[in-house]
Amino acid sequence: MFKFLNPPAALPEQTGKEADARYNALRWQVFSGAFIGYAAFYIVRKNLSMAIPSLAQFGITKGELGTVLAMNAVAYAFAKFFMATISDRSDARKFLPLGLILSALSMMFMIVPITGLDIVNHPENKSWAIILMGVLNFLVGWFNGMGWPPCGRVMTHWFSQSERGTWMSFWNCAHNVGGGLVGPMATYGAVWFGSWFYGSNENLYFLAGTFIFPAAVALLIAIVAYCLLRDNPQSCGLPSIEKWRNDYPQHYSSKSEEVISTKEILFHYVLNNRLLWFVACSNAFVYMVRYGCLDWAPAILSDKGVDLKSAGWAYFAYEYAAIPGTIFCGWLSDKVFHGRRAMPTMLFMALVAGFIGMYWYSLTMETPNLSLIIGCMIGIGFLIYGPVMLIGVQALDMVPKNAAGTAAGLTGFFGYFFGTAILANTMVGFIADNLGWDWAFASFIVACVLSIVFMGFTHQAEMKAAAKK
């Protein structure tokens, strides 16, 4: 398996106008493959959430499904770090499609606990069905961890540090595009293909739309991604991106183009990198705000008397406002701050805190102002995803290219395990139940402040590095 994933050998280097034209064309091709491939991971990731209302007919409670959902988040948190250590020593062209195929197959088999165990007629099988769903959702999360690392590898090899913020801001919108497709695919997939699989049994049509249709689309996209992706320029007979653009970052060396051992990646470049730990801690608090505001929005608004349809529009506005916000933040880091990522992250998080304050205030009104609420959700969504993206870019910038995936994996682990599973989900839920939503909003603002504090340590280092350069 691992031999199959070995990076391709470098080909004799080409130069001249034809090589330049080929380089430009391949950059767009590789970027397209990374964008489409990563978006596809999000159409086979959190599909179970869409199925929860329809699963009630089988006697499965929300508490039981909550446990199944948590398996996905925990698996993804660990996989994003573990898979990154493998990705740094693998061919991205094979690694990404393989992860996408395994994710899609795991998602497709989510129908088995419902139809295979026939829990409607055999309710005694419900416990086994929940266990099997948990295992499959764990696998979905684990294999989804094979999406970000190869994309990070590709972006560091095909785009130099001074332009990476802009390119990655566009690429990072892939998860908004993919995530936004899950709802329509579930709806139309059930209409188009439900009868093909389940005949007149309309109660099962949702399985076709939620699990089978998205998985089939992801399998097709895996083939497209394989055709478009290339691991690095040298495997295509082209020079490194730094040499081609004459854009060498500080501490660059030719060794960064070599494949090195996991031990060297971890103990020479990642675990002993003090600044990377500051970035990881900052990311935990950014993710607490990101998923705290997003995941709890329907519950918060429903408790404050806002109807679910309006809450759904607020949720939609939050997610899609991220696209222009992410692009603007990446452009800002490259063009205004010249590759320094800390300051735009700190500025955006300060503004996020302001919008959270307004959001909080709008819910204290006797009659909540829906327009103000949606405006605040748009503001938070526009601003929060820029720091999410830039922290990943900053992690890539802090280490050589051959350790980039592992560095980003560490920050991702902190974001999803500590920031999402522990802080945004568990802690905020506990606070809301025992202290009320006011204290939950206060915790979001504290998280913004702490993210700025930890990021401030890296800002000082970036300024010193810029002065030396």
Side-chain angles (χ1 to χ4, degrees), residues 339-359:
R340 298 191 301 276
R341 318 298 182 190
M343 182 52 72
T345 297
M346 294 163 68
L347 289 173
F348 271 51
M349 290 308 296
L351 292 171
V352 167
F355 274 100
I356 289 174
M358 285 194 290
Y359 182 19

Side-chain angles (χ1 to χ4, degrees), residues 279-348:
V279 170
C281 290
S282 180
N283 201 38
F285 293 110
V286 169
Y287 268 70
M288 177 186 171
V289 176
R290 173 191 178 184
Y291 282 111
C293 290
L294 181 65
D295 290 349
W296 292 105
I300 292 171
L301 298 179
S302 295
D303 286 353
K304 296 296 182 179
V306 179
D307 66 275
L308 287 176
K309 184 177 180 181
S310 299
W313 278 111
Y315 192 97
F316 174 86
Y318 180 97
E319 191 72 27
Y320 278 84
I323 294 175
T326 302
I327 294 170
F328 176 67
C329 189
W331 174 87
L332 201 67
S333 74
D334 278 347
K335 303 302 181 183
V336 177
F337 293 98
H338 307 292
R340 298 191 301 276
R341 318 298 182 190
M343 182 52 72
T345 297
M346 294 163 68
L347 289 173
F348 271 51

Side-chain angles (χ1 to χ4, degrees), residues 345-411:
T345 297
M346 294 163 68
L347 289 173
F348 271 51
M349 290 308 296
L351 292 171
V352 167
F355 274 100
I356 289 174
M358 285 194 290
Y359 182 19
W360 185 3
Y361 169 75
S362 70
L363 294 174
T364 62
M365 297 178 179
E366 187 174 344
T367 303
N369 186 324
L370 184 60
S371 297
L372 180 58
I373 290 170
I374 292 179
C376 291
M377 292 292 284
I378 289 173
I380 297 169
F382 180 90
L383 293 162
I384 192 65
Y385 282 92
V388 168
M389 178 272 302
L390 275 189
I391 284 175
V393 179
Q394 194 173 13
L396 299 180
D397 293 345
M398 285 181 169
V399 297
K401 289 189 288 185
N402 47 15
T406 305
L410 177 67
T411 62

